[in-house]
Amino acid sequence: MTTFSFKTIGCRLNQAETAAMRALVAAAGGRIVEFGEPCDICVVHGCVVTARAEKNTWRLARAAQASGRARQVAVAGCPVELAVRQRRPAGAARLVRQADKLDAGRLWQALGLTAGADAEHSSTATRLTPGTRALVRVQDGCDFHCAYCIVPFTRGAPCSRPLPEIMEEIRRLEDGGYQEIVLTGANLGCYAWQGRRLRHLLEDIARRSGIRRVRLSSIELSTAERDAIDCMADNPAICRFLHLPFQSGSDAVLRAMRRRYDRRRYMETAAYALNKLGVCGLGADVLVGFPGETDADFEDTLRLASALPFSNLHVFVFSPRPGTPAAAMPGQVPASVARERAARLRELGAAQRAAFARSWVGRTVEVLVEQTPPDSPDAAGWTGEYLSARIPPGPAGKIPPNRIVKCRPRGADGGVLLDCEILPA
């Protein structure tokens, strides 16, 4: 029996693809061990969003080779596409390209192996062990070509999975006991298959599956954001959490970034979501220190972030990504200035998340219990609005994982709901 280990660097899409690779390997007769343990094949599924992430990918692959614990090392994902495009040698590691990763036969062929009995297990393979939340890749690729982003060069043009294939995967996840699925893609709002768009996919999942929760990963403005908001309002199974990157609050910076919206449109969309949904978790990505960003531009970003009730503000500092237009732009912001701006935004984001959590004290929430830490009497999980929650033991003891329970938080600390009182089902 061939043994495998996996290491994933990067986004939820990478995580979803690694989960599919693990399932394909297991279905074809392989055995999976923890990363770092002795194995026949070690797969490092990497990222190139930043130069540091790409460097880390190859560093881990070289370290795995040097350790002698893996007979062979394979590098998968975007670093491979970039290395092939740039005609760079990959050293002794095998390469698994994007097209090979989610098809069992081609995956095993790429790894130079002979598959087991289930070699033709389809690309809809899912994890074989029970869990609480699963990532479902519904789309790949992007052609937006934002000035700072390398993804269109590594993942190519948008390509969506057939809707029936996605529904079959979700059915298997449901049969496997999963309570929540997270839909993910390189540009999720661009999902399109035979005239069916993201809203059709959401409607089909809500109508035809028994999955208790459906969560959307990041969705780009100018794609299907209003359809997604409408579906959240109409279908209680769709989590009321909207991650809508705005990157900058300055129109001048947004134009330089080649984003497809302006400040006004972002504010209008956020207002639409809050009016339509009443209360929802609101997340965003923000990129500070983009070339040419002035103090006034940053203040515009700070004002936009302050004007909306964000519960998850992810702040990133710009770093030049070789191969993108932004890497060669004039007006590079000093690193110390960018870090100071990021710190101010992160401080604001932490205060907003704490305020959002406090607003739920004394109200009813539904928590999907994901773990029961051995060092705590509480069960831990997440609300549909993407708030962390802690639930003390009930009359029957500690709540086991993979249950959705109604509770009433009695307190909050930072972004965590505490002392959640269990309510009747």
Side-chain angles (χ1 to χ4, degrees):
M1 181 181 293
T2 307
T3 54
F4 291 78
S5 68
F6 291 87
K7 178 67 174 179
T8 306
I9 304 166
C11 63
R12 279 181 169 175
L13 182 56
N14 273 9
Q15 294 169 25
E17 290 172 339
T18 298
M21 280 194 281
R22 289 169 62 96
L24 287 166
V25 162
R31 183 170 67 88
I32 298 169
V33 300
E34 292 296 319
F35 179 75
E37 292 184 9
C39 62
D40 295 307
I41 303 284
C42 171
V43 180
V44 178
H45 190 179
C47 174
V48 297
V49 168
T50 65
R52 177 179 294 180
E54 182 184 12
K55 183 178 180 180
N56 193 34
T57 298
W58 294 108
R59 180 187 63 79
L60 282 171
R62 288 193 298 270
Q65 285 182 321
S67 73
R69 289 191 291 270
R71 291 175 57 195
Q72 300 180 54
V73 176
V75 176
C78 293
V80 176
E81 301 297 333
L82 199 59
V84 171
R85 176 183 286 270
Q86 296 176 346
R87 301 177 183 271
R88 288 187 284 126
R94 290 183 180 272
L95 303 180
V96 182
R97 302 192 66 182
Q98 299 288 141
D100 298 323
K101 288 191 300 181
L102 297 177
D103 177 272
R106 286 193 294 176
L107 173 63
W108 280 70
Q109 184 180 20
L111 295 174
L113 302 172
T114 301
D118 258 341
E120 297 308 313
H121 196 65
S122 77
S123 63
T124 58
T126 56
R127 280 178 280 185
L128 304 179
T129 55
T132 58
R133 178 190 299 160
L135 297 165
V136 177
R137 180 190 68 99
V138 304
Q139 181 273 345
D140 199 357
C142 178
D143 59 3
F144 279 15
H145 292 280
C146 297
Y148 52 79
C149 186
I150 198 73
V151 168
F153 299 99
T154 58
R155 289 191 172 268
C159 179
S160 299
R161 289 176 64 189
L163 194 150
E165 182 180 292
I166 296 169
M167 294 302 299
E168 175 62 19
E169 177 172 358
I170 292 171
R171 183 191 65 76
R172 281 200 295 273
L173 288 168
E174 183 182 350
D175 290 346
Y178 285 89
Q179 298 279 7
E180 180 178 312
I181 59 170
V182 183
L183 303 184
T184 187
N187 194 334
L188 181 62
C190 289
Y191 179 82
W193 178 78
Q194 295 188 359
R196 310 280 281 174
R197 304 301 301 269
L198 181 62
R199 68 180 179 88
H200 300 111
L201 173 59
L202 291 172
E203 289 166 355
D204 274 16
I205 295 171
R207 185 178 65 252
R208 295 170 48 202
S209 81
I211 287 285
R212 295 280 300 278
R213 280 187 181 178
V214 181
R215 191 180 296 278
L216 300 179
S217 60
S218 180
I219 187 167
E220 288 287 321
L221 208 71
S222 79
T223 56
E225 64 276 5
R226 296 217 175 191
D227 282 349
I229 294 164
D230 291 343
C231 286
M232 287 180 188
D234 294 338
N235 299 292
I238 301 173
C239 293
R240 294 193 171 195
F241 177 76
L242 184 68
H243 193 88
L244 199 65
F246 69 84
Q247 305 298 6
S248 175
S250 162
D251 283 341
V253 174
L254 288 172
R255 286 192 296 271
M257 288 179 170
R258 302 181 185 174
R259 301 292 283 172
R260 299 187 174 200
Y261 55 86
D262 57 17
R263 175 192 181 96
R264 178 180 176 181
R265 182 170 177 184
Y266 188 92
M267 295 290 288
E268 289 175 347
T269 302
Y272 180 83
L274 295 169
N275 290 333
K276 187 89 175 182
L277 301 173
V279 178
C280 70
L282 184 62
D285 296 338
V286 193
L287 182 63
V288 299
F290 189 80
E293 182 187 68
T294 64
D295 288 343
D297 292 326
F298 174 70
E299 291 300 325
D300 282 343
T301 297
L302 199 61
R303 279 191 289 271
L304 188 154
S306 301
L308 294 170
F310 288 108
S311 57
N312 288 74
L313 202 60
H314 295 174
V315 181
F316 302 90
V317 174
F318 172 80
S319 62
R321 167 63 260 189
T324 65
M329 284 182 176
Q332 299 284 327
V333 176
S336 60
V337 174
R339 287 195 298 268
E340 187 273 334
R341 292 172 180 174
R344 291 177 65 189
L345 270 173
R346 286 173 181 145
E347 183 178 4
L348 171 64
Q352 289 176 313
R353 183 163 179 79
F356 184 68
R358 287 195 301 271
S359 74
W360 286 95
V361 174
R363 301 167 62 184
T364 300
V365 296
E366 287 195 345
V367 178
L368 171 58
V369 177
E370 297 199 11
Q371 55 180 318
T372 53
D375 58 347
S376 169
D378 295 347
W382 295 87
T383 72
E385 296 78 18
Y386 212 39
L387 279 172
S388 179
R390 301 291 183 269
I391 307 173
K398 186 182 288 190
I399 302 294
N402 207 30
R403 287 192 185 178
I404 295 178
V405 293
K406 286 187 178 180
C407 9
R408 182 183 295 117
R410 296 190 179 103
D413 181 18
V416 182
L417 302 177
L418 300 175
D419 196 16
C420 295
E421 175 191 8
I422 301 170
L423 301 175

